[in-house]
Amino acid sequence: MPHGRILVAFLAVLTLTASASATAAGDSSTASATSPAVAADGQRDFHWEIGTWHTEVRVLADPLSETEDEWLRFEGTSVVRPLLDRRANVVELKVSGPSGRIEGLNMRLYEPSAKRWSLTFVNIRDGLLTPSVHGGFRDGVGEFYGDDQLGERPIKVRFLIHRQGPDRAEFEQAYSSDGGVTWETNWIAVDRRVGSHD
């Protein structure tokens, strides 16, 4: 699932990327998943996402360019698997369309000391990690920011997660080349749950 920021620097060349996530949380023996301490610090913010999702993705073919907008469409699945007694998870994205295929992993790690998440995407094609975005959830919306490069140009990245009930979510990635004054959305993914919530 993207991410997707969901997949920085993959857009121009349509690389294979992924979402794998892990949350570094405290010892589960000292606090239950529903205890106020756990809920307050945000380490379970992605717990709702565990399961299988049908994913529809739109990708801007040439972001931050002067060319006319061309959106590429993909469809497939995102599978979110729990790890370490659900204190971490891995998201596996597999979508395809007329323009090709996108596959990848996204790692999400919770930083207890900062009370924030880092989201890091794995480029399956070259085995490299993209720079992380950082942030958290407020009023049901996840908001994450980071720095990256598009070609040789430094950019800022914004990744938003809108949870729309237990069985639907939208993920949106945008780039900025002017320090965050203006943003151009380049990735939109809509996930709908397949089956029941684990």
Side-chain angles (χ1 to χ4, degrees), residues 25-48 50 84-87:
D27 185 348
S28 60
S29 66
T30 60
S32 72
T34 56
S35 71
V38 170
D41 72 8
Q43 64 182 298
R44 300 282 176 166
D45 281 347
F46 286 100
H47 183 75
W48 59 272
I50 292 170
L84 298 173
D85 194 28
R86 296 194 177 214
R87 291 175 294 151

Side-chain angles (χ1 to χ4, degrees), residues 10-22:
F10 109 107
L11 299 172
V13 291
L14 217 61
T15 64
L16 305 177
T17 44
S19 359
S21 34

Side-chain angles (χ1 to χ4, degrees), residues 81-117:
R81 295 183 174 91
L83 301 171
L84 298 173
D85 194 28
R86 296 194 177 214
R87 291 175 294 151
N89 64 74
V90 61
V91 185
E92 182 179 357
L93 173 70
K94 292 183 178 180
V95 294
S96 60
S99 302
R101 193 171 170 79
I102 303 171
E103 296 179 300
L105 301 173
N106 174 11
M107 293 181 290
R108 304 185 193 118
L109 303 172
Y110 186 68
E111 303 175 42
S113 60
K115 295 187 177 179
R116 68 174 189 175
W117 289 86

